[in-house]
Amino acid sequence: MDEKRPVRVTILNQPYTLLGDEDPREVEELAHSVDELLHSIAAKAPSADATRVAVLGCLHLADRLHELERDLTTLKERVGRKTQEFAGLLERALER
């Protein structure tokens, strides 16, 4: 089993030590992405406290995830239809 390694990051001016078994650079990149998102939200809502900014950030990410899940479902359906279409074409070609 991989050993989890601590990675120090700063998100919304707060230091965190995260444990991960992935490449520390990936953890740092994810933390940086979250930090940028939260800072952009905080800039648009300067009177919001950190908790509200974090909740708004979570909602933004949940919306993005939902959108990507819909896109993935659509792509899977298209691949399924194309697979059936190509299987039919192959069957007809082999019958000749």
Side-chain angles (χ1 to χ4, degrees), residues 70-84:
R70 274 194 319 258
D71 291 348
L72 180 58
T73 298
T74 300
L75 286 172
K76 284 180 178 180
E77 289 169 355
R78 287 178 61 197
V79 167
R81 284 193 303 270
K82 287 294 181 186
T83 299
Q84 289 177 342

Side-chain angles (χ1 to χ4, degrees), residues 18-71:
L18 306 173
L19 295 177
D21 48 5
E22 293 131 25
D23 182 351
R25 289 173 295 195
E26 285 186 44
V27 175
E28 290 168 353
E29 287 174 19
L30 288 171
H32 180 71
S33 177
V34 169
D35 185 54
E36 284 184 335
L37 172 63
L38 296 183
H39 275 287
S40 73
I41 292 169
K44 294 173 186 165
S47 63
D49 63 12
T51 300
R52 185 172 297 272
V53 170
V55 168
L56 292 171
C58 287
L59 286 171
H60 173 81
L61 293 173
D63 179 55
R64 183 74 178 119
L65 175 62
H66 185 70
E67 179 182 332
L68 291 170
E69 287 172 337
R70 274 194 319 258
D71 291 348

